[in-house]
């Protein structure tokens, strides 16, 4: 059996015997892999929040990281998982070597509604491709906010024999079963040779300054009632002039989700699409 988190000692990995439908997100990601096209700011593969905003649903589940051998579930998480990780949203310090990386997104259920208080337990290799098994470097868990959002600060993981770049994660809705999976980077040469690589698990990634920013939405097998609203409920609050925003705050404007890059007090004319220095999509 797979290792459970310290919060649910008897939980087991989420599994499904049914063939999952190909989602719009999956089709776009498959097309991206086939074309090897670079991701552009404001573009990239579709996120679960896109389906929530357009009413396309129910969403296909985020696939587990599966090597095709259902009889060996421990391989799904790999040999480097350690339980009892510290609770934190940053896995680095100012002196940590490597290319800075921020990964953010949302956790949704089957009805495209956010899941608050969901557990996300991350672990990864350092910039040299090594895992710390003695301590808890590059390991940490967090819980999603009321809007289902999460944000992780780390560095781009290094390569090691047999694998492409990836970040491990266990995702669990409150009282639910654990989904163990991995997040991947687009345009990595080893994506084509890594037997575990799944294009459904590609992040949107773009270069920002001397670092990179990734976005990914998890969709868990969580029953939600009532179903999606019409129009759908969007993550975050609506942007409003006169509001003081902090870096990391999330808003919606014109049906699009944005993340605040710099603390500021909003004024008319500074709407998110007009000031990319203050707001980024996603």
């Amino acid at each position: 059996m797979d290792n459970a988190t310290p919060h649910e000692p008897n939980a087991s990995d989420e599994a499904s015997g049914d063939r999952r439908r190909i989602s719009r997100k999956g089709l776009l990601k498959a097309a991206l892999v086939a074309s090897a096209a670079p991701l552009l700011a404001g573009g990239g593969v579709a996120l679960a929040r896109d389906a929530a905003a357009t009413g396309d649903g129910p969403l296909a589940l985020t696939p587990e990281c599966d090597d095709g051998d259902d009889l060996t579930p421990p391989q799904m998480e790999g040999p480097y998982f350690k339980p009892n990780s510290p609770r934190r949203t940053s896995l680095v310090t100012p002196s940590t070597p490597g290319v800075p990386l921020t990964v953010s997104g949302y956790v949704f259920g089957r009805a495209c509604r956010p899941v608050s208080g969901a557990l996300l337990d991350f672990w990864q290799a350092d910039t040299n491709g090594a895992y710390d098994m003695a301590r808890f470097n590059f390991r940490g868990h967090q819980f999603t906010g009321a809007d289902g959002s999460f944000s992780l600060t780390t560095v781009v993981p290094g390569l090691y024999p047999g694998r492409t770049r990836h970040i491990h994660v266990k995702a669990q809705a409150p009282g639910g079963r654990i989904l163990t999976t991995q997040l991947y980077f687009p345009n990595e040469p080893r994506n084509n040779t890594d037997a575990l690589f799944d294009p459904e698990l590609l992040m949107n990634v773009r270069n920002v300054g001397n670092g990179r920013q990734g976005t990914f939405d998890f969709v868990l097998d969580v029953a939600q009632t009532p179903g999606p609203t019409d129009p759908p409920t969007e993550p975050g609050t609506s942007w409003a002039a006169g509001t003081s925003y902090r870096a990391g705050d999330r808003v919606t404007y014109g049906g699009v989700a944005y993340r605040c890059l710099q603390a500021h007090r909003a004024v008319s004319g500074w709407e998110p699409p007009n000031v990319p220095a203050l707001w980024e999509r996603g």
Side-chain angles (χ1 to χ4, degrees), residues 101-105 150 185 203-206 212-216:
L101 171 68
T102 299
V103 179
S104 61
F150 72 92
F185 295 76
M203 295 183 287
N204 274 315
V205 180
R206 67 173 184 172
R212 306 180 77 183
Q213 291 180 345
T215 52
F216 188 86

Side-chain angles (χ1 to χ4, degrees), residues 29 62-66 75-81 85 88-92 99-105 120-127 129-131 137-142 150-160 163-171 179-186 188 191 194 196-198 200-206 212-216 218:
K29 286 187 174 181
T62 300
E64 295 180 23
C65 177
D66 190 346
Q75 293 184 3
M76 291 170 139
E77 71 179 19
Y80 302 114
F81 174 72
S85 69
R88 57 190 178 193
T89 59
S90 177
L91 308 184
V92 297
V99 177
L101 171 68
T102 299
V103 179
S104 61
L120 294 172
D121 195 354
F122 295 96
W123 72 100
Q124 67 168 82
D126 63 18
T127 190
Y131 287 86
N137 292 326
F138 293 104
R139 301 174 187 272
H141 72 270
Q142 60 179 276
F150 72 92
S151 182
L152 176 73
T153 302
T154 182
V155 298
V156 175
L159 295 169
Y160 58 91
R163 294 305 315 274
T164 189
R165 298 187 198 277
H166 61 281
I167 297 174
H168 295 270
V169 59
K170 288 180 179 285
L179 168 69
T180 301
T181 190
Q182 301 180 37
L183 304 182
Y184 294 97
F185 295 76
E188 286 287 335
N191 288 350
D194 189 326
L196 296 182
F197 172 74
D198 187 339
E200 287 279 352
L201 298 171
L202 278 168
M203 295 183 287
N204 274 315
V205 180
R206 67 173 184 172
R212 306 180 77 183
Q213 291 180 345
T215 52
F216 188 86
F218 296 92

Side-chain angles (χ1 to χ4, degrees), residues 18-24 26 57-61 110 200:
D18 298 328
R19 184 179 298 276
R20 296 186 175 96
R21 295 182 299 104
I22 299 177
S23 65
R24 182 167 61 94
L59 297 177
L61 297 182
R110 291 300 300 269
E200 287 279 352

